[in-house]
Amino acid sequence: MSTKTPALRLHPDRLLPADPALRTMARHIYDSVRDLPIVSPHGHVDPRTILDDEPFGDPTALFVTPDHYVTRLLHASGVPLDELGVAQGPLDEASARRAWHHLCSRWDVFRGTPVRYWLESELAEIFDVAVRPSAPTSDLIYDQVQARLAQPQFRPRALFQRFGIEVLATTDDPVDDLAVHAKIGADDSFPGRVVPTFRPDRHLEVAAPGWVAAVDALEASSGVGTGTYRGWVAAMEDRREYFRAHGAVSTDHSHVDVGSEPLGGGDAERIYAAARAGTVTAAEGLLCAATCSSRWPAWPRTTA
């Protein structure tokens, strides 16, 4: 590698204020909390990753394809999504390296973003990468990260403990039986705590493809009929209580439209019936999603 290859050096105060007086104070505050345990209230880690504790596959599968912030920025800079392996499952080595090369060769598009901060911190502080990502350094970095991932200390449970994670909240569909969480909780060899989070998104957008199948699955898991809007609400309440009883302490929603004005009269039942029949319009779907999401108050505060 050429001696002109830019080094990847992270300044320890890179997120602190520029003003010297404020920086001194910020550094003092940061130093007092940096080693405290992590309580993560929101994340998208598959709980089976913790249960199975299998080695991560390759750098692309870890850093690129599952991260929509990374793939969106690369796609916006002209990279086709299929070149990044999005929604393709496990990639062969050539495809994985090609996607990784796209990331490294377009490193400048991440400048000034939290994504770049995360990636640089991970590469330098966890995988000991000392050169800045670029087209010429792509394979070098890929090989180094790949070699680290093969080591026992880079398996999921080892990293969980290395990072000082005390509680990790996952993101789970209401129809999930949470059996994986139960197995993790019963494993005395794992000292961490992994809790589910109630995420009902695919059951709320009534005009979205697959919604009818999702609601049928909701009925099967709850044992409550979802033929009417009232039944749907009861089924959701049943599943939410199930989650609460199995350790969940929060919900996590994401909608196409964030409006939350309730529908009046029988409009909710009418739109719901149209959705079940497959005749609902997109505009009606947004109204019903807003009503669905406003059905529940904030989750009662509990100790995580």
Side-chain angles (χ1 to χ4, degrees):
M1 187 60 60
S2 169
T3 56
K4 295 183 179 180
T5 299
L8 181 60
R9 296 193 182 99
L10 307 183
H11 195 286
D13 295 337
R14 59 194 180 279
L15 287 184
L16 304 185
D19 180 270
L22 291 177
R23 175 165 287 201
T24 298
M25 183 184 302
R27 187 184 297 121
H28 172 73
I29 294 172
Y30 176 64
D31 287 343
S32 70
V33 301
R34 64 181 300 169
D35 294 325
L36 292 177
I38 293 175
V39 176
S40 177
H42 172 72
H44 297 288
V45 175
D46 185 338
R48 188 165 289 281
T49 300
I50 304 297
L51 177 65
D52 296 341
D53 197 33
E54 295 291 338
F56 292 105
D58 59 67
T60 296
L62 185 60
F63 287 105
V64 181
T65 53
D67 192 329
H68 61 86
Y69 295 108
V70 171
T71 56
R72 283 174 180 174
L73 279 171
L74 290 175
H75 185 54
S77 72
V79 183
L81 291 178
D82 59 351
E83 283 283 299
L84 300 173
V86 174
Q88 295 179 33
L91 302 176
D92 58 39
E93 183 175 356
S95 298
R97 284 185 180 273
R98 183 168 58 250
W100 184 260
H101 183 81
H102 284 304
L103 170 69
C104 293
S105 64
R106 288 169 172 78
W107 197 243
D108 61 304
V109 306
F110 297 98
R111 184 181 296 130
T113 68
V115 179
R116 174 122 167 203
Y117 173 81
W118 300 332
L119 289 172
E120 286 184 336
S121 295
E122 291 162 339
L123 291 174
E125 297 176 349
I126 300 174
F127 293 93
D128 301 317
V129 172
V131 295
R132 187 180 303 168
S134 64
T137 63
S138 174
D139 283 331
L140 176 70
I141 296 173
Y142 186 99
D143 290 338
Q144 181 168 332
V145 174
Q146 182 73 72
R148 293 290 198 280
L149 291 176
Q151 299 173 6
Q153 59 267 38
F154 286 86
R155 293 172 73 155
R157 291 193 179 193
L159 290 173
F160 192 103
Q161 295 183 55
R162 173 180 171 180
F163 298 154
I165 301 173
E166 187 173 286
V167 180
L168 174 67
T170 61
T171 301
D172 309 273
D173 191 282
V175 304
D176 196 315
D177 63 8
L178 305 182
V180 173
H181 286 82
K183 290 179 180 178
I184 295 173
D187 187 349
D188 294 334
S189 68
F190 179 64
R193 183 179 172 200
V194 180
V195 298
T197 298
F198 188 81
R199 175 112 181 194
D201 293 14
R202 74 185 185 109
H203 303 269
L204 302 181
E205 306 291 346
V206 300
W211 177 80
V212 173
V215 172
D216 287 343
L218 175 65
E219 177 175 316
S221 65
S222 66
V224 179
T226 57
T228 65
Y229 175 64
R230 184 183 296 274
W232 179 92
V233 170
M236 274 292 183
E237 289 175 340
D238 176 88
R239 295 309 296 170
R240 186 168 146 137
E241 186 56 40
Y242 181 90
F243 269 59
R244 188 201 304 272
H246 288 76
V249 295
S250 64
T251 64
D252 177 29
H253 300 186
S254 177
H255 307 290
V256 174
D257 186 283
V258 295
S260 57
E261 182 178 353
L263 291 173
D267 285 340
E269 287 287 0
R270 176 183 58 79
I271 295 175
Y272 185 87
R276 291 290 284 173
T279 60
V280 70
T281 66
E284 289 175 328
L286 289 177
L287 286 173
C288 194
T291 297
C292 292
S293 63
S294 67
R295 284 289 311 183
W296 305 302
W299 200 290
R301 184 180 300 277
T302 58
T303 301

mmCIF file of all heavy atoms in Angstrom, residues 38 50 156-157 160-161 164-169 181-195 304:
data_model
loop_
_atom_site.group_PDB
_atom_site.id
_atom_site.type_symbol
_atom_site.label_atom_id
_atom_site.label_comp_id
_atom_site.label_asym_id
_atom_site.label_seq_id
_atom_site.Cartn_x
_atom_site.Cartn_y
_atom_site.Cartn_z
ATOM 1 N N ILE A 38 -24.609 0.249 28.776
ATOM 2 C CA ILE A 38 -25.522 0.716 27.732
ATOM 3 C C ILE A 38 -26.901 0.100 27.944
ATOM 4 O O ILE A 38 -27.033 -1.114 28.083
ATOM 5 C CB ILE A 38 -24.996 0.338 26.338
ATOM 6 C CG1 ILE A 38 -23.710 1.107 26.019
ATOM 7 C CG2 ILE A 38 -26.052 0.617 25.267
ATOM 8 C CD1 ILE A 38 -23.066 0.689 24.724
ATOM 9 N N ILE A 50 -28.426 -13.181 18.873
ATOM 10 C CA ILE A 50 -27.900 -13.372 20.229
ATOM 11 C C ILE A 50 -28.060 -14.822 20.666
ATOM 12 O O ILE A 50 -27.169 -15.408 21.286
ATOM 13 C CB ILE A 50 -28.611 -12.440 21.216
ATOM 14 C CG1 ILE A 50 -28.481 -10.977 20.759
ATOM 15 C CG2 ILE A 50 -28.058 -12.618 22.620
ATOM 16 C CD1 ILE A 50 -27.067 -10.467 20.712
ATOM 17 N N PRO A 156 -21.399 -12.431 18.263
ATOM 18 C CA PRO A 156 -22.392 -11.518 18.840
ATOM 19 C C PRO A 156 -22.359 -11.397 20.362
ATOM 20 O O PRO A 156 -22.381 -10.288 20.902
ATOM 21 C CB PRO A 156 -23.722 -12.106 18.351
ATOM 22 C CG PRO A 156 -23.371 -12.752 17.050
ATOM 23 C CD PRO A 156 -22.002 -13.328 17.248
ATOM 24 N N ARG A 157 -22.311 -12.506 21.076
ATOM 25 C CA ARG A 157 -22.354 -12.423 22.535
ATOM 26 C C ARG A 157 -21.085 -11.787 23.102
ATOM 27 O O ARG A 157 -21.135 -11.043 24.087
ATOM 28 C CB ARG A 157 -22.577 -13.809 23.139
ATOM 29 C CG ARG A 157 -23.960 -14.374 22.862
ATOM 30 C CD ARG A 157 -24.252 -15.583 23.724
ATOM 31 N NE ARG A 157 -25.579 -16.112 23.470
ATOM 32 C CZ ARG A 157 -26.185 -16.997 24.256
ATOM 33 N NH1 ARG A 157 -25.576 -17.462 25.330
ATOM 34 N NH2 ARG A 157 -27.406 -17.434 23.954
ATOM 35 N N PHE A 160 -21.451 -8.126 22.567
ATOM 36 C CA PHE A 160 -22.479 -7.637 23.496
ATOM 37 C C PHE A 160 -21.832 -7.281 24.829
ATOM 38 O O PHE A 160 -22.071 -6.216 25.405
ATOM 39 C CB PHE A 160 -23.537 -8.728 23.679
ATOM 40 C CG PHE A 160 -24.798 -8.292 24.378
ATOM 41 C CD1 PHE A 160 -25.966 -8.051 23.664
ATOM 42 C CD2 PHE A 160 -24.832 -8.134 25.759
ATOM 43 C CE1 PHE A 160 -27.137 -7.669 24.307
ATOM 44 C CE2 PHE A 160 -25.996 -7.746 26.409
ATOM 45 C CZ PHE A 160 -27.152 -7.506 25.679
ATOM 46 N N GLN A 161 -20.985 -8.181 25.325
ATOM 47 C CA GLN A 161 -20.328 -7.951 26.609
ATOM 48 C C GLN A 161 -19.206 -6.921 26.492
ATOM 49 O O GLN A 161 -19.010 -6.091 27.386
ATOM 50 C CB GLN A 161 -19.796 -9.274 27.153
ATOM 51 C CG GLN A 161 -20.919 -10.271 27.476
ATOM 52 C CD GLN A 161 -20.407 -11.557 28.081
ATOM 53 O OE1 GLN A 161 -19.703 -11.550 29.078
ATOM 54 N NE2 GLN A 161 -20.765 -12.689 27.471
ATOM 55 N N GLY A 164 -20.414 -3.459 26.786
ATOM 56 C CA GLY A 164 -21.018 -3.105 28.058
ATOM 57 C C GLY A 164 -22.516 -2.921 27.985
ATOM 58 O O GLY A 164 -23.100 -2.081 28.681
ATOM 59 N N ILE A 165 -23.165 -3.711 27.131
ATOM 60 C CA ILE A 165 -24.618 -3.606 26.992
ATOM 61 C C ILE A 165 -25.299 -4.316 28.155
ATOM 62 O O ILE A 165 -25.027 -5.482 28.426
ATOM 63 C CB ILE A 165 -25.092 -4.212 25.664
ATOM 64 C CG1 ILE A 165 -24.417 -3.499 24.488
ATOM 65 C CG2 ILE A 165 -26.611 -4.115 25.535
ATOM 66 C CD1 ILE A 165 -24.697 -4.147 23.141
ATOM 67 N N GLU A 166 -26.174 -3.610 28.824
ATOM 68 C CA GLU A 166 -26.916 -4.190 29.937
ATOM 69 C C GLU A 166 -28.300 -4.642 29.491
ATOM 70 O O GLU A 166 -28.773 -5.711 29.873
ATOM 71 C CB GLU A 166 -27.039 -3.174 31.073
ATOM 72 C CG GLU A 166 -27.643 -3.721 32.343
ATOM 73 C CD GLU A 166 -27.580 -2.720 33.467
ATOM 74 O OE1 GLU A 166 -26.483 -2.507 34.008
ATOM 75 O OE2 GLU A 166 -28.639 -2.131 33.799
ATOM 76 N N VAL A 167 -28.960 -3.803 28.670
ATOM 77 C CA VAL A 167 -30.290 -4.118 28.142
ATOM 78 C C VAL A 167 -30.320 -3.779 26.657
ATOM 79 O O VAL A 167 -29.884 -2.699 26.256
ATOM 80 C CB VAL A 167 -31.405 -3.333 28.871
ATOM 81 C CG1 VAL A 167 -32.769 -3.688 28.281
ATOM 82 C CG2 VAL A 167 -31.385 -3.611 30.363
ATOM 83 N N LEU A 168 -30.842 -4.699 25.862
ATOM 84 C CA LEU A 168 -31.015 -4.459 24.425
ATOM 85 C C LEU A 168 -32.468 -4.729 24.062
ATOM 86 O O LEU A 168 -32.975 -5.832 24.261
ATOM 87 C CB LEU A 168 -30.104 -5.387 23.623
ATOM 88 C CG LEU A 168 -30.285 -5.348 22.100
ATOM 89 C CD1 LEU A 168 -29.844 -3.989 21.554
ATOM 90 C CD2 LEU A 168 -29.491 -6.465 21.432
ATOM 91 N N ALA A 169 -33.159 -3.711 23.535
ATOM 92 C CA ALA A 169 -34.540 -3.877 23.079
ATOM 93 C C ALA A 169 -34.532 -4.176 21.586
ATOM 94 O O ALA A 169 -33.926 -3.443 20.804
ATOM 95 C CB ALA A 169 -35.355 -2.620 23.371
ATOM 96 N N HIS A 181 -36.864 -14.928 22.594
ATOM 97 C CA HIS A 181 -36.572 -14.141 23.791
ATOM 98 C C HIS A 181 -36.624 -15.014 25.049
ATOM 99 O O HIS A 181 -35.795 -14.857 25.951
ATOM 100 C CB HIS A 181 -37.567 -12.990 23.926
ATOM 101 C CG HIS A 181 -37.342 -11.868 22.967
ATOM 102 N ND1 HIS A 181 -37.805 -11.898 21.674
ATOM 103 C CD2 HIS A 181 -36.680 -10.680 23.098
ATOM 104 C CE1 HIS A 181 -37.458 -10.769 21.065
ATOM 105 N NE2 HIS A 181 -36.775 -10.022 21.896
ATOM 106 N N ALA A 182 -37.582 -15.906 25.094
ATOM 107 C CA ALA A 182 -37.702 -16.788 26.261
ATOM 108 C C ALA A 182 -36.468 -17.667 26.398
ATOM 109 O O ALA A 182 -35.967 -17.895 27.510
ATOM 110 C CB ALA A 182 -38.965 -17.638 26.141
ATOM 111 N N LYS A 183 -35.953 -18.159 25.290
ATOM 112 C CA LYS A 183 -34.764 -19.011 25.334
ATOM 113 C C LYS A 183 -33.533 -18.220 25.780
ATOM 114 O O LYS A 183 -32.707 -18.728 26.548
ATOM 115 C CB LYS A 183 -34.520 -19.640 23.958
ATOM 116 C CG LYS A 183 -35.548 -20.685 23.568
ATOM 117 C CD LYS A 183 -35.264 -21.252 22.176
ATOM 118 C CE LYS A 183 -36.291 -22.292 21.786
ATOM 119 N NZ LYS A 183 -36.048 -22.825 20.412
ATOM 120 N N ILE A 184 -33.423 -16.990 25.321
ATOM 121 C CA ILE A 184 -32.304 -16.157 25.763
ATOM 122 C C ILE A 184 -32.397 -15.907 27.258
ATOM 123 O O ILE A 184 -31.410 -16.006 27.999
ATOM 124 C CB ILE A 184 -32.294 -14.813 24.999
ATOM 125 C CG1 ILE A 184 -32.019 -15.045 23.516
ATOM 126 C CG2 ILE A 184 -31.245 -13.866 25.587
ATOM 127 C CD1 ILE A 184 -32.154 -13.793 22.658
ATOM 128 N N GLY A 185 -33.608 -15.593 27.731
ATOM 129 C CA GLY A 185 -33.797 -15.330 29.146
ATOM 130 C C GLY A 185 -33.515 -16.531 30.026
ATOM 131 O O GLY A 185 -33.126 -16.383 31.190
ATOM 132 N N ALA A 186 -33.722 -17.732 29.478
ATOM 133 C CA ALA A 186 -33.503 -18.953 30.262
ATOM 134 C C ALA A 186 -32.062 -19.448 30.190
ATOM 135 O O ALA A 186 -31.709 -20.420 30.856
ATOM 136 C CB ALA A 186 -34.446 -20.050 29.759
ATOM 137 N N ASP A 187 -31.233 -18.780 29.387
ATOM 138 C CA ASP A 187 -29.842 -19.204 29.209
ATOM 139 C C ASP A 187 -28.967 -18.556 30.275
ATOM 140 O O ASP A 187 -28.618 -17.379 30.180
ATOM 141 C CB ASP A 187 -29.365 -18.812 27.812
ATOM 142 C CG ASP A 187 -27.987 -19.360 27.488
ATOM 143 O OD1 ASP A 187 -27.312 -19.870 28.407
ATOM 144 O OD2 ASP A 187 -27.580 -19.282 26.315
ATOM 145 N N ASP A 188 -28.606 -19.324 31.285
ATOM 146 C CA ASP A 188 -27.815 -18.794 32.394
ATOM 147 C C ASP A 188 -26.392 -18.411 31.982
ATOM 148 O O ASP A 188 -25.715 -17.677 32.709
ATOM 149 C CB ASP A 188 -27.751 -19.809 33.538
ATOM 150 C CG ASP A 188 -29.110 -20.045 34.188
ATOM 151 O OD1 ASP A 188 -29.952 -19.121 34.120
ATOM 152 O OD2 ASP A 188 -29.324 -21.130 34.744
ATOM 153 N N SER A 189 -25.942 -18.897 30.822
ATOM 154 C CA SER A 189 -24.590 -18.570 30.383
ATOM 155 C C SER A 189 -24.493 -17.168 29.778
ATOM 156 O O SER A 189 -23.393 -16.669 29.548
ATOM 157 C CB SER A 189 -24.101 -19.592 29.347
ATOM 158 O OG SER A 189 -24.844 -19.483 28.132
ATOM 159 N N PHE A 190 -25.652 -16.549 29.520
ATOM 160 C CA PHE A 190 -25.664 -15.212 28.925
ATOM 161 C C PHE A 190 -26.163 -14.214 29.963
ATOM 162 O O PHE A 190 -27.314 -14.263 30.392
ATOM 163 C CB PHE A 190 -26.574 -15.194 27.700
ATOM 164 C CG PHE A 190 -26.658 -13.849 27.032
ATOM 165 C CD1 PHE A 190 -25.541 -13.282 26.444
ATOM 166 C CD2 PHE A 190 -27.849 -13.145 27.001
ATOM 167 C CE1 PHE A 190 -25.608 -12.036 25.831
ATOM 168 C CE2 PHE A 190 -27.934 -11.903 26.384
ATOM 169 C CZ PHE A 190 -26.806 -11.351 25.797
ATOM 170 N N PRO A 191 -25.300 -13.277 30.399
ATOM 171 C CA PRO A 191 -25.679 -12.365 31.484
ATOM 172 C C PRO A 191 -26.504 -11.159 31.042
ATOM 173 O O PRO A 191 -27.075 -10.450 31.871
ATOM 174 C CB PRO A 191 -24.312 -11.896 32.008
ATOM 175 C CG PRO A 191 -23.421 -11.931 30.805
ATOM 176 C CD PRO A 191 -23.893 -13.117 29.993
ATOM 177 N N GLY A 192 -26.603 -10.893 29.737
ATOM 178 C CA GLY A 192 -27.316 -9.706 29.281
ATOM 179 C C GLY A 192 -28.822 -9.880 29.313
ATOM 180 O O GLY A 192 -29.347 -10.973 29.520
ATOM 181 N N ARG A 193 -29.511 -8.773 29.095
ATOM 182 C CA ARG A 193 -30.977 -8.791 29.056
ATOM 183 C C ARG A 193 -31.442 -8.302 27.696
ATOM 184 O O ARG A 193 -31.062 -7.207 27.265
ATOM 185 C CB ARG A 193 -31.547 -7.904 30.160
ATOM 186 C CG ARG A 193 -33.082 -7.941 30.229
ATOM 187 C CD ARG A 193 -33.593 -7.066 31.344
ATOM 188 N NE ARG A 193 -35.045 -6.944 31.304
ATOM 189 C CZ ARG A 193 -35.739 -5.970 31.896
ATOM 190 N NH1 ARG A 193 -35.108 -5.044 32.580
ATOM 191 N NH2 ARG A 193 -37.055 -5.924 31.805
ATOM 192 N N VAL A 194 -32.241 -9.114 27.012
ATOM 193 C CA VAL A 194 -32.772 -8.776 25.698
ATOM 194 C C VAL A 194 -34.294 -8.773 25.807
ATOM 195 O O VAL A 194 -34.899 -9.787 26.151
ATOM 196 C CB VAL A 194 -32.311 -9.787 24.626
ATOM 197 C CG1 VAL A 194 -32.882 -9.414 23.262
ATOM 198 C CG2 VAL A 194 -30.784 -9.854 24.568
ATOM 199 N N VAL A 195 -34.923 -7.624 25.518
ATOM 200 C CA VAL A 195 -36.370 -7.499 25.682
ATOM 201 C C VAL A 195 -37.020 -7.177 24.336
ATOM 202 O O VAL A 195 -36.422 -6.521 23.482
ATOM 203 C CB VAL A 195 -36.735 -6.411 26.710
ATOM 204 C CG1 VAL A 195 -36.174 -6.759 28.084
ATOM 205 C CG2 VAL A 195 -36.245 -5.042 26.267
ATOM 206 N N ALA A 304 -36.690 -0.427 32.858
ATOM 207 C CA ALA A 304 -36.108 -1.313 31.856
ATOM 208 C C ALA A 304 -35.041 -2.173 32.478
ATOM 209 O O ALA A 304 -34.671 -3.184 31.947
ATOM 210 C CB ALA A 304 -35.518 -0.494 30.715
#
